[in-house]
Amino acid sequence: MLAVKQPPLIQIHDKTFRIFLTEAKIQVQVAKMAEKIQVRFKHKNPLFIVVLNGAFMFASDLIKAANIPCEIAFIRVASYRGMESSGDLKELLGLQEELNNRHVIVVEDIVDSGHTMARLLEDFRVEQPASLSVAALLVKPEQMKTQINIEYTGFEISELFVVGYGLDYDGQGRYLKDIYQLKDD
Ligand code: IMP
Ligand code: MG
């Protein structure tokens, strides 16, 4: 086996990050979210819409843990440059799937300002899904600029930037099993 222990501090580009949420802690939360999804959508053949790139690792673990018949689709949008959200959304990879009458679960790594999720939900709602819910591993409540309902949340965190478990800082850090937070001192 390769060494699994991650260092307490890591350097990415010009920034230092410290260990914040360990793999074990993340997996406990993911399992709890998956269980709720399982109970609610067991016989509903839900359609998971995974927001790339950041949510790929979380979505993989969540959907495996939910362990119910379902379909999985991917969407890719961009609204973020470096550490700041720009608010406007560009669709880089669209959806082929019909959402009408489907039970749709949007899977996102992190909701920061909420602009990305608000825009996506607005677009999806037009197609009149049977239900539309959000599973976000991380939410930054203090940063939220829009009113959105997040049915399944892993962790509520401060506004500090995080990387790892799919999340990146300018393309780096996605491979990490744990989540690291910007060291602000
Ligand atoms: P929002 O539109 O401001 O909610 O931003 C959402 C997107 O910005 C997320 O899907 C992430 O891709 C990215 N993002 C927001 N905060 C962070 C962070 O702390 N680390 C890495 N990516 C982030
Ligand atoms: Mg994302």
Side-chain angles (χ1 to χ4, degrees), residues 1-38:
M1 273 283 274
L2 289 167
V4 289
K5 192 97 187 96
Q6 296 288 357
L9 292 179
I10 55 161
Q11 184 76 25
I12 299 178
H13 302 305
D14 54 330
K15 304 271 189 265
T16 304
F17 295 83
R18 67 157 62 95
I19 186 90
F20 177 50
L21 301 168
T22 62
E23 181 184 12
K25 220 172 155 183
I26 295 165
Q27 291 306 327
V28 167
Q29 256 344 82
V30 171
K32 284 187 195 164
M33 298 167 86
E35 198 184 338
K36 288 185 193 150
I37 289 171
Q38 185 185 73

Side-chain angles (χ1 to χ4, degrees), residues 51-54 79-80 82-83 85-87 89 108-117 138 140 144 157 159-163 167-169 174:
V51 186
L52 295 174
N53 294 333
S79 74
Y80 228 75
M83 290 198 170
S85 184
S86 66
L89 209 66
E108 176 63 300
D109 52 357
I110 184 164
V111 175
D112 184 25
S113 70
H115 288 314
T116 306
M117 190 52 70
L138 306 171
K140 293 179 175 174
M144 292 255 272
I157 64 170
E159 75 282 2
L160 287 177
F161 199 82
V162 290
V163 293
L167 293 118
D168 73 305
Y169 169 42
R174 293 193 199 277

